[in-house]
Amino acid sequence: MTRIRGVTLRNRERTPLHELAPLAYPLVIYLEPTNVCNFRCDFCPTGNTALVKRHRPVGMMSWDLWIKVIDDFKAFEQPAENAHLFKDGESTLHPRFLDMLGYIRDAGIVKRLWIKTNGSKLGPKFNQGLIDNGLNDIGISVEAVTSAGYKKISHVNFDYEALRDNVADLYSRCTKDNRIYVKIPSQGLSEDEIAKFYADFEGRCHYIGLENFHGWSTPELGDFTMGYQSDTYDGDPLTDKIVCPWTLFSITVNWNGATCVCPEDWAWKTIVADVNKESVIDIWNGARMWEFRKMHLEGRRNENIACRGCYFMRTLPDSVDAHRGEILARYEEARK
């Protein structure tokens, strides 16, 4: 078991992104089973239900749409490196989440399957279902180290001790293909609380660490940094960027098929297509996705409300700014 500052998970050996673009297939895909959540965390846009209702619909992906989306990815020449089965909600609340997991595993469209969860659905039977249906990586977000702390920050009655025990149960069921990363927001924790966090979860996961609040896209509509400012995230320094790397290697499908560029786009301001009406590969290679990439590569990301003040973009480890001219030229050549 390793104590980390997330960076160990994020910064494995990687080919420089500027050498790969334009990509014929996405390296990373985000698929959202649901944007419903049973927590109301102060640092998350989903926790502000009144704000969310003004900017996006709320619901759960139908089984037929899930099948359509996963089957669409079979048209790409290679599988994605990672599929993240989460976005704005608590994915495990979907009544067919385990079926969804098994279907994408069997489709062979991705090398590793990853979720992040608040852990509220964990328990022996569900834990075994996660393992049996092919989950590789699971990030468990601990919000406090007592039930009273959960009530304060997540506004729910939650059994912290049960979470600790359920994480231990999941860990006991893991194979060599599974990794559990348990993390907690570092801001506002006392030294005693940090020590309790480590004491409660070390030996019950593969990786453990503290994380800063990362902020979100579209800060004009809501600042979720909780008043804490940091110059690092996951152990890396925050770096300003002209081009968001996600525009070049990632695609996100929301629960209703609305397809966007950015997995941090909680307010749905980067929607480029509807997968109900187009195939994923046509969206990836299509005009609207290209225009979004071009906007970034030409230094015009301020034209999009989600991108112009985005805090999270500063946390991303890749940067292609020094190569955006050559990348733009290669894209334009490929589109002739």
Side-chain angles (χ1 to χ4, degrees):
M1 198 281 306
T2 305
R3 283 195 187 190
I4 63 172
R5 295 285 299 186
V7 65
T8 304
L9 294 180
R10 294 179 66 191
N11 287 359
R12 296 182 298 271
E13 291 185 10
R14 52 207 297 144
T15 303
L17 183 59
H18 70 270
E19 296 179 5
L20 300 176
L23 286 156
Y25 62 98
L27 295 178
V28 177
I29 59 180
Y30 281 80
L31 306 174
E32 181 182 65
T34 181
N35 61 1
V36 172
C37 189
N38 53 346
F39 285 11
R40 294 292 177 265
C41 300
D42 291 332
F43 53 81
C44 178
T46 298
N48 189 328
T49 54
L51 181 66
V52 165
K53 286 179 180 179
R54 293 199 295 270
H55 295 283
R56 73 177 193 231
V58 176
M60 296 194 175
M61 186 177 287
S62 71
W63 179 247
D64 287 345
L65 181 56
W66 182 260
I67 291 173
K68 193 269 185 190
V69 171
I70 302 308
D71 289 354
D72 274 3
F73 276 98
K74 294 177 181 178
F76 289 105
E77 63 185 39
Q78 294 189 45
E81 294 296 319
N82 294 286
H84 300 254
L85 308 189
F86 60 90
K87 184 175 175 275
D88 296 318
E90 174 53 45
S91 296
T92 62
L93 295 179
H94 196 292
R96 298 200 67 177
F97 179 75
L98 294 179
D99 294 333
M100 290 173 153
L101 188 59
Y103 192 84
I104 189 173
R105 174 204 57 195
D106 293 343
I109 66 165
V110 64
K111 296 178 182 178
R112 292 190 70 84
L113 296 172
W114 170 280
I115 67 167
K116 286 185 179 179
T117 176
N118 59 30
S120 59
K121 283 291 296 287
L122 296 182
K125 183 177 180 180
F126 191 79
N127 293 347
Q128 192 60 49
L130 294 175
I131 303 300
D132 291 346
N133 283 283
L135 182 66
N136 301 113
D137 302 306
I138 179 168
I140 300 170
S141 298
V142 176
E143 316 304 356
V145 294
T146 63
S147 296
Y150 268 86
K151 185 68 172 179
K152 181 178 179 181
I153 195 167
S154 299
H155 306 286
V156 291
N157 294 315
F158 187 67
D159 189 339
Y160 170 79
E161 286 74 20
L163 171 66
R164 183 188 59 203
D165 293 344
N166 286 330
V167 171
D169 178 85
L170 178 62
Y171 183 62
S172 72
R173 299 171 189 272
C174 287
T175 72
K176 62 181 178 60
D177 293 324
N178 306 119
R179 300 183 307 174
I180 301 173
Y181 172 39
V182 177
K183 52 94 171 177
I184 193 170
S186 59
Q187 289 97 332
L189 291 182
S190 68
E191 291 300 320
D192 287 345
E193 288 172 321
I194 291 173
K196 185 177 189 302
F197 167 70
Y198 282 120
D200 285 347
F201 289 99
E202 280 188 313
R204 301 177 182 217
C205 59
H206 300 88
Y207 302 93
I208 189 169
L210 309 178
E211 287 190 358
N212 297 330
F213 293 130
H214 65 56
W216 293 78
S217 67
T218 327
E220 296 172 44
L221 302 180
D223 178 13
F224 297 95
T225 59
M226 300 285 291
Y228 293 98
Q229 296 299 316
S230 175
D231 58 2
T232 64
Y233 181 73
D234 281 357
D236 280 344
L238 300 184
T239 56
D240 291 321
K241 299 176 181 68
I242 297 171
V243 180
C244 178
W246 263 331
T247 63
L248 305 179
F249 69 78
S250 177
I251 192 168
T252 299
V253 181
N254 293 285
W255 69 269
N256 67 348
T259 305
C260 61
V261 178
C262 175
E264 294 294 314
D265 179 19
W266 66 268
W268 288 25
K269 305 302 182 185
T270 68
I271 301 295
V272 293
D274 182 350
V275 80
N276 290 286
K277 301 175 182 177
E278 298 179 67
S279 69
V280 173
I281 195 169
D282 285 345
I283 295 170
W284 179 255
N285 295 317
R288 293 190 67 188
M289 184 72 88
W290 158 238
E291 289 300 327
F292 206 98
R293 294 176 180 135
K294 184 178 180 182
M295 176 184 70
H296 274 253
L297 290 167
E298 291 182 343
R300 298 184 287 110
R301 68 178 175 85
N302 284 348
E303 294 178 9
N304 184 278
I305 184 175
C307 302
R308 63 184 174 222
C310 180
Y311 182 96
F312 189 77
M313 191 174 75
R314 300 167 65 207
T315 74
L316 299 176
D318 297 295
S319 178
V320 300
D321 289 357
H323 305 276
R324 60 193 181 98
E326 64 189 74
I327 295 172
L328 181 61
R330 292 203 298 268
Y331 267 107
E332 290 178 331
E333 179 64 25
R335 292 187 62 80
K336 288 182 180 178

